[in-house]
Amino acid sequence: MRLYRLIFRELLYRKLNFCLGVLSASVAVACVVGQRAVLRQYDARTEQIIAAKEAETRATMAALEDDYRKLMLKLGFNVLILPKDQSLSDLYAEDFASKYMPEEYATRLARSRVVTINHVLPALQQKIQWPEHARTVLLMGVRSEVYVQSPQQKPMLEPVAPGTMILGHELAVNLQFKPGDKSRLMGREFTVAKINPARGNKDDITVWINLAEAQEMLNKRGVINGILALDCTCDTVDRLGRIRSELSQILPDTQVIEFASQALARAETRQRAAVEARNAIAREQENRARLRRQRESLAAILTPGLVLGAALWLGTLCFNNVRDRRTELGLLRALGLRTRQILAIFLSRAALIGLAGACLGYAAGLLFGALWQEPPAAPRLAALAPDPKLAIAVFLAAPFVAVLAGWLPACIAARQDPAVALKER
Amino acid sequence: MTTLLRLENLSKSYRRTQAGCLRHTLLAVDRVSLSVGAGEFVGVKGPSGCGKTTLILAAGALLQPTSGRVLVAGQDPYALSSDQRARFRAANIGFVFQQFHLIPFLSVLDNVLAPALAGPVAGARERACELLAHFGLAHRAGHLSADLSTGERQRAALARALLRRPKLLLADEPTANLDEENGAVVLRCLAEFARGGGTVLVVTHDPRAAKYAGRLLEMNGGKLEGAAGLPTNHTNHTNPTKEMNGGKLEGAVGAQNQAVESSEG
């Protein structure tokens, strides 16, 4: 006959007391484990939300990138590179540069791998009289883009094929042109390839043709009077200064002016959108972190309260058990059991209750954590995933707290006078 | 004859509260002196409340006397620490109670084995089975005490008291809850134990005790009358085997007697 047999038999005999004890321990353990599981699930959900938002932002920014690129195309150019001796007064008065530079500059600029410019478009622009229609127009000779990054780079401006022209909106309306019409310009026949939409600026009276043809027609072979640098991605406040600094090394006999500030404003907006997206993610993270702190604060109050309540309840049950076993205790003392053996009976009993409560409570807590809300599968699995540190802590702490709760009743049992119990009839 | 139990001027008083305010001292045992030799069966009879149970608990090292001395096998158990006293009890004293005090959630066999909780007993299980067989309870070994009749319960309690082969057996009203037949069986078993060299002190109302006890003392108002000295003929018991009724129990007890007699050589 061993003490453990006595303990197990007694637990099985007084089932209600045992079950109530296990229940109280398991409720406390379930709350601790469940709260941890909910927080883990919450963390997993946060990661999922943030990852989704980041992916969404990336996708949105990629879409915006394309939109702005197209918007910039419609609006004009960001930076205009002119010959150094070009008077800006003349430029603004005439709407085109009167000085020229070699077309080769565009290639040199592109090959320099200048980091602040993504697109390089050489152009020859001149205000002319369209003799066939008696109209003053801006003639713009453009060629296909000189690639800065790689030949696979998506062009900002579709090249104008030889023999074709693109007309500004007002010009096309006044002259009643539509795509596919043929017209002569300075004695050469062109097919109208496209009518640009109204832009409300000088583009509306511009005729775009192939650069080589323009050079021939204007007798300016091998030269251009401007390089359009598009989509400047300078990340400093003094963009123009940075570009000028770079270009002074590559093309020393040129000057740079800011062009189409509206486009820059858009670019700024785009950057702000990116910043706003990042801020939104940060706000979401902060918001979720705040909610997590609130939950932790609540748990920090609830958990000790529950553990204390469970311990008190368990202590009461142990005390009742001692009271119910007064005669048995008297007998055991009469049979020669020592104080520490009596203590061992009651403390082992409490530890067993704590251990059983830990097993039930741990499983219930995980289940509770998983069923707390209806999350996607990943967080639920995260909540169910075992946490070895928590498991070890629970399986050590629950019996320990139960032993603490049963300590006083066990001491009362050990100090009980056997004669008093045995004299009772 | 060796004196196994000696009570010297033993007194025990309790402080009681009367009518909720007045406290007074109740003298349950009043300067009792008694010597009981090894192999002696002594009965103490007296009316309810005369201090019999207090006397037996004090003699059994369970209740510290107010004054006087208890010597069991020459040793004062109250001079020992609580744990040493518990060991001393386990080694030397067996108890039988009126209410049997069987542990309700243990089987009969486990109840008989309960003294082994205090410390190892060589061949405890075999000894328990022998005792159960001896008391006609072998077929009840796996039953809970609630399944037993009162007579069977007291026999189980007696078997439990004998597991560790105590030198002193103290019985408090062992026959009070039993019918005549079962009461006789219990008293015969106690007498048997005494004949085997054990010492028995029984407090009882049962007039039949006189038939089995070597000495029968009267207790009244906490005082013991006729307790001086040792008896001249402590073997003057009626042979219990000759009076037994009932086949199985009779056989079992008889076997024990033979064993006791053969051990006495």
Side-chain angles (χ1 to χ4, degrees), chain A residues 5 327 331 333 339 341 423, chain B residues 14 83 89 101 110 117-118:
Chain A
R5 186 173 173 83
T327 312
L331 174 80
R333 291 298 252 173
T339 303
Q341 289 177 300
K423 277 175 75 178
Chain B
Y14 300 102
D83 280 354
R89 265 198 308 271
H101 293 325
D110 284 340
L117 289 171

Side-chain angles (χ1 to χ4, degrees), chain B residues 126-213:
Chain B
E126 293 72 26
R127 168 83 174 149
C129 291
E130 273 174 28
L131 286 166
L132 286 177
H134 179 80
F135 288 108
L137 292 170
H139 65 295
R140 294 292 215 173
H143 290 219
L144 293 177
S145 61
D147 300 333
L148 305 184
S149 68
T150 49
E152 287 173 324
R153 286 181 203 181
Q154 192 60 297
R155 277 183 271 144
L158 198 51
R160 179 181 64 195
L162 295 174
L163 183 83
R164 296 188 80 107
R165 296 182 175 86
K167 293 173 183 153
L168 174 64
L169 191 60
L170 300 171
D172 182 11
E173 303 278 13
T175 59
N177 290 332
L178 305 181
D179 59 23
E180 194 175 337
E181 185 182 343
N182 279 304
V185 168
V186 168
L187 287 171
R188 274 199 301 276
C189 289
L190 293 175
E192 245 180 73
F193 175 74
R195 286 194 334 120
T199 302
V200 179
L201 178 64
V202 178
V203 297
T204 181
H205 281 107
D206 195 339
R208 291 168 299 176
K211 198 163 117 185
Y212 297 91

Side-chain angles (χ1 to χ4, degrees), chain A residues 1-3 5-6 9-10 13-14 325 327-328 331-341 417-419 422-425, chain B residues 14 53-54 57 62-63 82-83 86-87 89-90 95 97-99 101 103-106 110 113-118 160 172:
Chain A
M1 182 72 170
R2 302 265 182 229
L3 278 183
R5 186 173 173 83
L6 181 86
R9 289 281 178 191
E10 194 275 335
Y13 181 70
R14 295 192 173 88
R325 299 171 72 181
T327 312
E328 180 195 328
L331 174 80
L332 292 174
R333 291 298 252 173
L335 292 178
L337 266 75
R338 297 180 293 284
T339 303
R340 61 188 167 88
Q341 289 177 300
D417 186 350
L422 292 171
K423 277 175 75 178
E424 287 172 355
R425 292 285 186 266
Chain B
Y14 300 102
T53 299
T54 299
L57 291 174
L62 281 170
L63 186 62
S82 172
D83 280 354
R87 282 202 190 91
R89 265 198 308 271
F95 291 91
F97 303 97
Q98 180 183 345
Q99 271 79 23
H101 293 325
I103 299 173
F105 49 84
L106 294 181
D110 284 340
L113 283 167
L117 289 171
R160 179 181 64 195
D172 182 11

